[in-house]
Amino acid sequence: MDVHDVKLTISAVAAAQYPTDGRPEIAFLGRSNVGKSSLINKLIKRKAMARTSSVPGKTQTLNFYDLDSRLFFVDVPGYGYAKVSKAARAKFATMIETYLTTRQPLHGAVLLVDSRHDPTADDISMYQYLKYYQIKTLVVATKIDKTPKSKRLHVVKQITKRMDLNQTDVVIPFSAVTGEGYDAIWSWLEQTAGV
Ligand code: GTP
Ligand code: MG
């Protein structure tokens, strides 16, 4: 999809604030600092529409980005960041769960994992959760520019194994620096959202 116009429609903390027009939505999930906001910016070809930071815990609300009035990208707060208080973490968890389990326009989720490390217990739980709720899932291995080309296939295999991915779910290596993976991710998004 060629994106022309992007607007941040709402930064929501409660279900009552979600958009009501029923357009398809794709959620971007993953632990803090994994690169969710950077992936969104790359996909919409904007430098800093979704705010990014080297400090984990930047995104604290469900941010609904309207793409050409056809599709929403939903930037979700990251999980697994120890320095966020227990109370704040519980609040994020409830917010994310409410969204994932009740949201009718949700067509699929992009689950980001860091290609430099093994998937965390939280990554594995999140994948299982998405499967339990029958949400179509694309796993994106981020920051692949940090992995030598010769090791990339191994990284993909390792993630597939550790996360025990369904045969129908694929891993796409991605770099916000080089743009690698851009076309493959967009084609999954178009197919999944029907746009
Ligand atoms: P939270 O909002 O805190 O949950 O983080 P996030 O998942 O949105 O991560 P964000 O996009 O803010 O990126 C975190 C840091 O990783 C930033 O310093 C980015 O510049 C860096 N980063 C993101 N993607 C890549 C990538 O593909 N390659 C490299 N080398 N760095 C990346
Ligand atoms: Mg973010």
Side-chain angles (χ1 to χ4, degrees):
M1 174 175 158
D2 252 338
V3 182
H4 301 285
D5 188 32
V6 183
K7 289 189 286 281
L8 173 61
T9 296
I10 181 112
S11 293
V13 290
Q17 300 172 299
Y18 299 164
T20 52
D21 43 44
R23 287 200 293 269
E25 289 170 11
I26 301 283
F28 291 78
L29 303 161
R31 72 187 178 83
S32 275
N33 212 44
V34 72
K36 298 173 293 297
S37 301
S38 302
L39 170 60
I40 290 176
N41 285 331
K42 199 78 193 176
L43 292 171
I44 62 178
K45 295 189 173 143
R46 299 293 194 280
K47 281 221 156 57
M49 184 87 200
R51 303 271 300 279
T52 65
S53 169
S54 55
V55 181
K58 180 73 191 167
T59 307
Q60 306 219 344
T61 49
L62 291 172
N63 295 335
F64 288 77
Y65 292 95
D66 174 342
L67 278 56
D68 289 331
S69 303
R70 289 171 70 191
L71 170 70
F72 283 104
F73 278 177
V74 185
D75 193 5
V76 174
Y79 50 76
Y81 178 48
K83 284 193 182 152
V84 171
S85 73
K86 214 172 171 187
R89 255 185 291 166
K91 200 181 73 185
F92 289 166
T94 308
M95 188 164 84
I96 297 167
E97 275 170 34
T98 305
Y99 174 76
L100 292 177
T101 57
T102 63
R103 189 61 176 160
Q104 225 237 321
L106 179 65
H107 279 54
V110 177
L111 176 57
L112 287 78
V113 296
D114 192 325
S115 63
R116 298 169 300 176
H117 312 289
D118 274 339
T120 65
D122 285 337
D123 292 334
I124 295 167
S125 304
M126 182 53 83
Y127 179 72
Q128 287 169 348
Y129 192 84
L130 292 168
K131 293 300 98 179
Y132 181 80
Y133 286 102
Q134 299 183 324
I135 298 166
K136 286 184 188 157
T137 305
L138 174 68
V139 177
V140 167
T142 62
K143 310 191 185 184
I144 200 70
D145 51 285
K146 303 271 194 188
T147 303
K149 285 218 165 78
S150 61
K151 291 197 180 143
R152 293 186 186 173
L153 190 60
H154 176 73
V155 164
V156 168
K157 281 189 181 158
Q158 223 27 36
I159 293 170
T160 307
K161 195 168 123 194
R162 294 281 165 107
M163 295 181 77
D164 193 19
L165 298 188
N166 289 359
Q167 278 192 338
T168 47
D169 291 335
V170 291
V171 180
I172 298 179
F174 172 77
S175 166
V177 176
T178 66
E180 177 177 342
Y182 176 94
D183 289 336
I185 295 171
W186 256 121
S187 89
W188 184 90
L189 292 170
E190 284 169 359
Q191 200 183 355
T192 305
V195 294

